[in-house]
Amino acid sequence: MYATRLGDDGAELRPLEPWQAGEFLAHMDRGREFIGARNGLPDVVKDLESSRAFLRAYAEKTAADTGRIHGIRLDGTLVGAVILRTLDVSAGVAEAGCWLEPAAVGRGLVTRAARELIGWAIEVRGVHRVEWVVSADNGPSIAVARRLGMKRDAVLRESHHYRGRRVDEEVWSVLAPDWLAATAPQPR
């Protein structure tokens, strides 16, 4: 299995697969309340079978080239993930997302991991537009979108019903020409 180093601090990015359901569930249990504050995943991944089913769905997306999930590891421990929730190569669009457990917050892990995954989508798969959809009150995720060079396209007022309340969502995006210009090696 391959891994991509995310720096010199022991962080790396690796694909997540169904056989890792136990580890994925343990990660979700460690971050359940924190992750669930803004992400519905803890409501889906509740036990070993639902963990396996979630990872199996992403394995099927990977096989169909319609999505991806990669775990963020710190010193070998799974602490979060970045995903392509959707990937439509023929249309040239994808939607990226992320989460972390509390012990991993504040280290730039999501930004580094998302940069790898978005770069792959644009540079390898030829995606033209990558979106980032986030609750309008999720300041840390919005900060990641900004660090990734994304622009806010829209605020979708009360578009998402989450745990008994309606929340605004923001749609951020980066276009391939802007991504490639920002990530191109600079002349010395």
Side-chain angles (χ1 to χ4, degrees), residues 22-107:
E23 179 184 24
F24 188 68
L25 178 61
H27 151 65
M28 195 55 50
D29 287 343
R30 287 191 304 271
R32 190 166 298 282
E33 185 176 323
F34 181 80
I35 295 166
R38 294 192 175 94
N39 184 322
L41 185 57
D43 298 341
V44 174
V45 177
K46 298 178 181 180
D47 55 27
L48 189 57
E49 187 49 40
S50 59
S51 179
R52 188 175 292 111
F54 181 80
L55 293 177
R56 188 179 310 117
Y58 268 92
E60 291 169 5
K61 285 184 174 194
T62 298
D65 200 26
T66 60
R68 292 278 192 278
I69 185 169
H70 285 74
I72 300 169
R73 295 178 180 278
L74 193 55
D75 297 322
T77 301
L78 181 63
V79 295
V82 289
I83 59 174
L84 291 178
R85 288 189 66 237
T86 61
L87 173 63
D88 186 337
V89 174
S90 63
V93 296
E95 181 189 337
C98 67
W99 64 86
L100 280 177
E101 59 185 67
V105 171
R107 301 171 186 238

Side-chain angles (χ1 to χ4, degrees), residues 111-124 127-130 144-150 173-186:
T111 302
R112 290 183 273 161
R115 192 170 283 129
E116 289 292 327
L117 192 58
I118 292 168
W120 175 85
I122 291 172
E123 297 165 23
V124 176
V127 169
H128 177 73
R129 175 186 168 87
V130 177
V144 170
R146 285 189 174 112
R147 284 192 296 273
L148 292 169
M150 294 184 164
S173 70
V174 65
L175 303 179
D178 298 331
W179 181 269
L180 294 170
T183 59
Q186 299 300 313

